[in-house]
Amino acid sequence: ACSACSALAAAGPRIAWVLHKKKPWAASYKMNGEQHDPNSNADVKSENGAGPSTKNDVDYELPDLPEAPVFYPTAEEFQDPMKYLESIRAQAEPAGVIKIVPPKEWRCPFPIKENGDSFHFQTCVQSVDQLRHRHGPGTKFMQRLRHFHRTRGLHLPAEMTPFVDGRQVDLYSLYKDVEERGGVDVVEAGKGWGEVAVAIRIVRNSASAHMANRLREVYREYLEKYAQAVEQGLKPEDLPEEEQFVTVRKRFSGMRMSGASGYAGDEGGDEADTADSFGFGEGGFYSFHSFRRKAHDFRDKWFSGWNRSVTKEDVEREYWRVVDGGDLMLRVEYGNDLDASSHGSGFPTPENSRPEHQPYIDSTWNLNNLPLQSGSLLKYISPDGEISGVSAPWVYVGMLFSSFCWHNEDNYLYSINYMHHGAGKTWYGIPGEDAINFEKVFESEVPELFEKDPKLLFKLCTMIAPKVLRERGVRVNHTVQEPGEFIVTLPQAYHAGFSHGFNCSEAVNFAPADWLPFGRASIQRYRSKKRSPVFSHERLVLTLAHRNLAPDDPSTPWVEAEMHSLIESEMGLRRNLVVMGDASAVRCYRIPRDESNAVRSSKEWIGGISEAEMPQCQRCLHWLYLSAVLDSRNPKKLSCCNSECVQALLNGEDMSLAGRNLVLAYRFSMTELVGMMSKSSAHLLLQARQLDTSFMPLSDSGVASALTVWFLAESGAGAATVKGSDAQTGRMRGVGGAPAEQANDKVAGGGVKRANTVVAAPKAPSVPGKLYFGFCEEVIRALQKIVGDGGNDGSGEGRGLCKIEFDATTNLPVTPIQVGHACVIEQLGEVQAQPGWQDADGNFYWPKGFRSRRTFPSMKQEGKCSYSCEVIEDEEGLPAFKVTSSEEPNAPITMDSPALCWQQVMQRVNQIRASKRPKTGS
């Protein structure tokens, strides 16, 4: 056995050395040139150039797919990605996926290869044989085997995937081969275990007594009792319903290991076939170089019996033979969705490159820069301009047959993928116009899977062969990406593919203005499927409207058209709400504009609230940015204005009776929304004004407090109040030049500068730390009163988040104090009226011993948990702030300000949400 296999066996690797039935072994091969040089992209050959006259043609017919368009921009055209992509859009859209080959003088360095021992990541494990057939013969056999062991109280091995010399033993193939030879007694009598080992590709020849003995031990431990029971009349048992597989992609949270190297050690996770982890289980920890060795070794063994060159078509046939056949057990590993901000980018950055690489650091085609270029709208989706995996790139490290299954991009965005290094990658693309037809065909091909999981298409865990799609009338294009080439997918275009061997690529999304109508279409579809969008489309459109675009800006017509569609949609929803809730009784509440609707001109961003803080409709999961509906009798739930969602909010009550309890919360009146357009008809403005007068202002302070808490705004520097008529309406300019802010769109070298270090953590969002602790205006005034610094009894002006009662004897606030619906102050503590204990603004003194408790999204999993917030005294006698999750009581977050504590919490919450979000995996 080779040393690599021995190392793998000792470490207990997860990789599957897949079993070809009845295919003899032959001499191993080397890649052309330097052994295992991925850059050579050479076909695999036998070491001696020839071998036994074994037929190597794979019995799988590939469809004749049209090649995706390939574009070769000139050096001049290559200067501006957005401009170039717009110039080829008409040719690209009918294909769904295109290839762009940079000019020959553009040869981007690859820093990860040079620093491969410091680039570490965790893989996921993919069950390639189950990507199409969840219940193939091998899968069903393993279910029956587990059931047999469990129901008879027999010893059940902890790991039902045994390894021999680093190669996974396919128990189904082992059982089937022994039975075909007449059973275990016949094999024993004829000393045939060596031949069995050769047949299922554990060894190259039958002379290895050690390997034969190991295989016999595996059979006895896993299969002998089952085989005896079958011989005695046992019939295959149907598994209980709860043991059936469900089609769910397990996206592990990605606790990336920063100091791992070599082969995987204790794997920990299961093979990916349990009820909640189909397809993508947790794999091992690797460095770039250790995974490369493992990937090369796997490909060597897969094609070791071939006596001719292995073509790209051969790899494609082999892949679909496994996927469509479903009778071979194949597990591969994939380092997918690796955040470049924390793992390191494959493109040159100031932190990972030499001075001579500066042109590539600044290049507009560097994927750290491209999404934030002038002309890409993603620079306006958040105050920091970045969302991991969307506007900040992810790195992918693959091996032979690592797969990215059929999907289109989040929010129907464009995507761009650059291959840095390694073997090719097959891509299939479907034009956006065929998306609906594709979805119908997809569902009809696997109806049993959709019955179990209606959101199957969002899980990125199922492959349907292109030839099946072509036969059903879906247009499919094909291309193979090589190192140094870009692949671009168009909005709403479904795509899928797999790797031909070890490779490394990097991908990110971007959004030219022509994407806007696709973004709106994605939101409509997500609402119907009850899927949460990645970001609020409404907030992005409003941000663009506030930018005061010049008439000659290419984005202006698209933004104007999208604003018009948004206004018509919102007007229709609010009008229906009036009809549903009885015009004489519907009340409204305006979310305070001075904080939550501030325009941050330096960042050209509107909102003051991130998706992590923004509430969602309890039914359709739509981000509630523009408006929301609340039932005044139950202020802990919100819905959007869609009639079906409002009905769900009221639990199906008769609208003629329950409708009077509805409250509309809104950020902008319809009149203001119409005013944001540079061109709007007098008729539309009149309709907006009439609709605004259909709602009565809310007078119930309790309901107002609940709504205020739902829409807490960010605080801190930069959230300045917008003043002036232009700022209030956000009107797009109808005359004159571009606003001053646009001068900042470009930087030296043509690239938007973005910090991207190998070890830097994602930027923490700005959060209202005081409010999250419970220090609302009423509480602050109460603290002022305690030290005689003005203040009052907690009533009067304020948000109405809480009502404070004072003890008649001590004149101190009575606890507990309910702050909104999510926070309770359990202990107010002792006010330290001394230097160093004042808040940053000097308004009040922090109370030592203060403790509150609030509910907030979990840092460990989806859902919410309880957090304890405390004010303590540090070693220097100064105030410190501690936040402790109920899920991690021994791991408090202690910082020198409330905001920093909650920034840490928010950062981890966002990482969890990003890890749970289905992503390209390409």
Side-chain angles (χ1 to χ4, degrees):
C2 67
S3 59
C5 287
S6 299
L8 285 168
R14 302 196 54 133
I15 198 69
W17 307 128
V18 177
L19 314 171
H20 277 245
K21 290 295 295 177
K22 311 298 185 184
K23 183 179 287 186
W25 287 79
S28 62
Y29 66 86
K30 295 181 180 180
M31 303 289 277
N32 285 347
E34 179 187 0
Q35 183 162 356
H36 300 317
D37 179 8
N39 280 325
S40 69
N41 294 307
D43 292 327
V44 180
K45 294 185 178 181
S46 167
E47 185 176 6
N48 299 323
S53 57
T54 304
K55 185 176 185 292
N56 296 134
D57 294 328
V58 180
D59 187 18
Y60 187 92
E61 182 180 355
L62 294 176
D64 184 18
L65 300 177
E67 287 295 314
V70 183
F71 296 91
Y72 298 86
T74 64
E76 181 179 357
E77 293 172 328
F78 199 67
Q79 294 300 312
D80 188 335
M82 297 302 146
K83 184 177 180 180
Y84 180 70
L85 289 167
E86 172 60 25
S87 71
I88 63 173
R89 179 163 60 90
Q91 299 168 265
E93 283 182 339
V97 60
I98 63 169
K99 181 192 293 188
I100 296 178
V101 180
K104 61 182 181 179
E105 56 268 25
W106 198 85
R107 291 293 179 264
C108 188
F110 180 44
I112 290 178
K113 184 179 180 182
E114 300 177 9
N115 307 302
D117 287 330
S118 61
F119 184 88
H120 302 100
F121 58 94
Q122 184 181 11
T123 62
C124 68
V125 177
Q126 297 182 318
S127 305
V128 179
D129 57 300
Q130 296 177 28
L131 294 179
R132 171 62 180 85
H133 299 285
R134 301 293 193 264
H135 302 284
T139 305
K140 292 179 180 179
F141 173 82
M142 292 301 296
Q143 288 178 307
R144 291 196 297 269
L145 183 62
R146 284 186 175 84
H147 187 59
F148 173 82
H149 278 261
R150 189 159 41 245
T151 57
R152 284 156 181 79
L154 301 174
H155 169 65
L156 181 67
E159 177 61 71
M160 289 292 285
T161 309
F163 288 82
V164 172
D165 192 30
R167 273 155 271 174
Q168 180 179 341
V169 178
D170 185 340
L171 292 177
Y172 172 63
S173 296
L174 175 58
Y175 173 80
K176 187 177 177 183
D177 193 89
V178 170
E179 290 302 305
E180 289 175 352
R181 295 173 187 273
V184 65
D185 292 338
V186 175
V187 174
E188 287 279 7
K191 298 182 179 180
W193 286 109
E195 295 179 2
V196 173
V198 171
I200 65 173
R201 299 194 66 178
I202 296 299
V203 293
R204 290 184 173 87
N205 60 70
S206 60
S208 174
H210 168 71
M211 297 302 295
N213 289 334
R214 284 288 295 116
L215 194 61
R216 180 193 297 114
E217 292 172 4
V218 168
Y219 184 90
R220 286 174 174 171
E221 182 178 8
Y222 291 84
L223 298 171
E224 188 171 46
K225 289 184 174 63
Y226 178 80
Q228 291 171 352
V230 171
E231 186 177 350
Q232 296 169 6
L234 174 71
K235 294 182 179 180
E237 297 128 326
D238 293 328
L239 293 178
E241 182 62 28
E242 63 268 18
E243 294 190 32
Q244 298 291 338
F245 292 145
V246 291
T247 312
V248 177
R249 179 185 185 189
K250 178 183 178 183
R251 290 297 307 273
F252 56 90
S253 59
M255 296 177 60
R256 309 299 183 187
M257 184 173 177
S258 60
S261 63
Y263 290 100
D266 185 6
E267 302 149 349
D270 296 330
E271 58 187 284
D273 59 1
T274 58
D276 65 345
S277 61
F278 166 73
F280 294 76
E282 294 190 27
F285 292 97
Y286 299 90
S287 70
F288 181 79
H289 291 321
S290 66
F291 187 75
R292 180 185 62 184
R293 292 192 294 269
K294 188 170 192 176
H296 284 323
D297 195 29
F298 173 56
R299 178 165 172 147
D300 284 352
K301 288 179 170 62
W302 183 276
F303 290 113
S304 61
W306 291 55
N307 58 7
R308 63 170 176 81
S309 297
V310 179
T311 67
K312 297 172 185 177
E313 291 75 16
D314 289 330
V315 177
E316 188 175 13
R317 290 190 187 95
E318 284 279 88
Y319 178 81
W320 287 110
R321 183 177 68 85
V322 174
V323 173
D324 269 2
D327 57 350
L328 295 176
M329 189 164 59
L330 169 56
R331 306 288 187 270
V332 298
E333 296 191 62
Y334 194 11
N336 66 332
D337 301 355
L338 307 176
D339 189 343
S341 298
S342 55
H343 287 79
S345 174
F347 285 95
T349 68
E351 294 75 24
N352 68 11
S353 301
R354 298 189 293 271
E356 59 266 29
H357 295 160
Q358 191 64 43
Y360 295 98
I361 296 175
D362 295 336
S363 172
T364 52
W365 288 85
N366 183 321
L367 296 194
N368 295 290
N369 301 328
L370 187 143
L372 309 181
Q373 291 293 309
S374 176
S376 174
L377 307 183
L378 292 189
K379 64 190 296 184
Y380 308 112
I381 61 176
S382 79
D384 294 320
E386 296 178 12
I387 294 180
S388 175
V390 176
S391 55
W394 278 354
V395 178
Y396 299 87
V397 186
M399 63 185 298
L400 179 66
F401 301 148
S402 294
S403 306
F404 54 105
C405 298
W406 287 112
H407 69 287
N408 50 24
E409 296 297 306
D410 293 324
N411 291 54
Y412 292 173
L413 291 164
Y414 282 82
S415 78
I416 183 166
N417 183 296
Y418 179 76
M419 181 174 285
H420 292 291
H421 177 85
K425 182 183 293 188
T426 287
W427 288 74
Y428 304 104
I430 294 171
E433 289 182 349
D434 283 23
I436 301 301
N437 188 25
F438 165 82
E439 291 165 4
K440 292 178 180 178
V441 172
F442 196 98
E443 185 168 354
S444 68
E445 284 294 313
V446 285
E448 73 285 357
L449 300 184
F450 270 94
E451 184 178 350
K452 293 178 180 178
D453 186 0
K455 298 182 181 180
L456 179 66
L457 264 173
F458 299 139
K459 303 296 177 63
L460 291 82
C461 63
T462 305
M463 291 293 270
I464 301 293
K467 68 178 182 180
V468 174
L469 300 173
R470 290 274 292 178
E471 291 168 358
R472 301 287 298 277
V474 179
R475 291 177 291 171
V476 184
N477 296 283
H478 165 276
T479 191
V480 176
Q481 180 188 22
E482 301 291 352
E485 297 176 347
F486 291 94
I487 295 291
V488 175
T489 68
L490 283 291
Q492 203 175 354
Y494 279 93
H495 48 282
F498 60 90
S499 292
H500 291 209
F502 175 76
N503 57 30
C504 180
S505 58
E506 195 162 343
V508 78
N509 294 114
F510 64 99
D514 62 84
W515 159 82
L516 281 170
F518 290 97
R520 177 177 7 112
S522 75
I523 300 306
Q524 295 168 352
R525 173 162 172 75
Y526 291 170
R527 293 176 87 160
S528 69
K529 296 295 184 179
K530 300 180 178 60
R531 177 193 170 180
S532 175
V534 174
F535 57 86
S536 170
H537 187 77
E538 296 166 348
R539 187 185 64 184
L540 174 61
V541 175
L542 266 291
T543 302
L544 294 170
H546 271 274
R547 287 186 62 223
N548 297 327
L549 297 176
D552 58 350
D553 189 308
S555 300
T556 297
W558 295 100
V559 175
E560 281 284 293
E562 195 62 22
M563 272 297 296
H564 190 271
S565 296
L566 184 150
I567 288 169
E568 285 192 335
S569 174
E570 184 68 14
M571 188 174 292
L573 291 172
R574 295 190 190 184
R575 187 179 290 117
N576 288 339
L577 188 63
V578 172
V579 175
M580 293 171 62
D582 182 356
S584 63
V586 177
R587 293 161 295 168
C588 63
Y589 170 81
R590 182 181 188 128
I591 304 162
R593 286 192 60 185
D594 59 339
E595 294 186 35
S596 61
N597 294 323
V599 177
R600 302 180 177 187
S601 59
S602 63
K603 295 180 180 291
E604 297 178 336
W605 184 76
I606 184 177
I609 188 168
S610 70
E611 277 79 8
E613 302 162 286
M614 193 184 301
Q616 290 178 278
C617 173
Q618 53 123 22
R619 178 180 177 271
C620 72
L621 303 183
H622 181 67
W623 294 115
L624 301 177
Y625 178 72
L626 273 184
S627 59
V629 179
L630 175 142
D631 182 350
S632 60
R633 300 166 300 175
N634 182 13
K636 293 188 177 181
K637 292 183 178 180
L638 292 178
S639 84
C640 65
C641 296
N642 181 277
S643 58
E644 294 180 354
C645 296
V646 174
Q647 287 280 7
L649 180 71
L650 297 175
N651 295 317
E653 292 184 62
D654 187 343
M655 287 298 301
S656 62
L657 300 176
R660 66 188 61 189
N661 298 301
L662 298 178
V663 178
L664 169 71
Y666 66 95
R667 294 184 187 276
F668 299 91
S669 69
M670 290 309 307
T671 303
E672 290 168 326
L673 287 175
V674 172
M676 292 180 190
M677 300 179 63
S678 62
K679 298 177 182 178
S680 58
S681 66
H683 178 66
L684 184 62
L685 184 60
L686 179 61
Q687 284 183 308
R689 289 174 176 170
Q690 290 175 341
L691 182 57
D692 287 339
T693 61
S694 299
F695 297 92
M696 300 189 309
L698 178 66
S699 58
D700 188 326
S701 60
V703 177
S705 298
L707 281 167
T708 302
V709 173
W710 273 115
F711 293 94
L712 280 176
E714 290 184 4
S715 63
T721 301
V722 183
K723 299 180 180 180
S725 58
D726 284 345
Q728 291 291 331
T729 61
R731 183 181 298 277
M732 302 171 73
R733 289 185 183 171
V735 294
E741 292 94 322
Q742 285 184 264
N744 298 323
D745 279 354
K746 297 181 180 180
V747 297
V752 175
K753 298 290 186 180
R754 183 176 75 81
N756 188 316
T757 67
V758 174
V759 297
K763 294 180 181 178
S766 174
V767 295
K770 291 180 185 178
L771 275 173
Y772 281 9
F773 262 66
F775 292 106
C776 62
E777 295 173 25
E778 291 85 354
V779 172
I780 290 174
R781 283 199 303 276
L783 294 172
Q784 292 170 339
K785 178 182 178 181
I786 291 173
V787 297
D789 185 18
N792 51 40
D793 62 0
S795 60
E797 294 296 327
R799 286 184 163 190
L801 294 183
C802 73
K803 183 176 182 181
I804 300 177
E805 297 180 1
F806 285 79
D807 185 274
T809 304
T810 64
N811 203 28
L812 295 176
V814 177
T815 54
I817 301 172
Q818 182 74 41
V819 181
H821 72 274
C823 180
V824 176
I825 298 177
E826 299 175 334
Q827 186 173 309
L828 196 58
E830 177 185 350
V831 177
Q832 300 281 94
Q834 58 186 16
W837 280 80
Q838 280 188 307
D839 78 304
D841 299 322
N843 293 329
F844 67 98
Y845 291 94
W846 296 112
K848 177 184 176 182
F850 173 94
R851 185 178 70 246
S852 66
R853 187 168 299 278
R854 71 174 298 115
T855 56
F856 199 75
S858 168
M859 296 185 289
K860 295 187 67 177
Q861 58 193 343
E862 291 184 293
K864 295 186 177 183
C865 68
S866 174
Y867 291 82
S868 171
C869 309
E870 300 175 75
V871 179
I872 61 177
E873 185 174 354
D874 66 12
E875 296 178 352
E876 299 177 357
L878 297 175
F881 303 86
K882 182 168 71 172
V883 172
T884 308
S885 165
S886 60
E887 296 178 326
E888 298 178 295
N890 297 322
I893 298 172
T894 304
M895 308 294 288
D896 58 8
S897 79
L900 289 176
C901 289
W902 281 101
Q903 282 178 358
Q904 294 292 315
V905 174
M906 190 75 72
Q907 181 172 310
R908 287 185 57 186
V909 169
N910 286 339
Q911 289 173 345
I912 291 294
R913 292 184 173 185
S915 72
K916 297 297 181 183
R917 188 176 70 243
K919 199 62 184 98
T920 307
S922 57

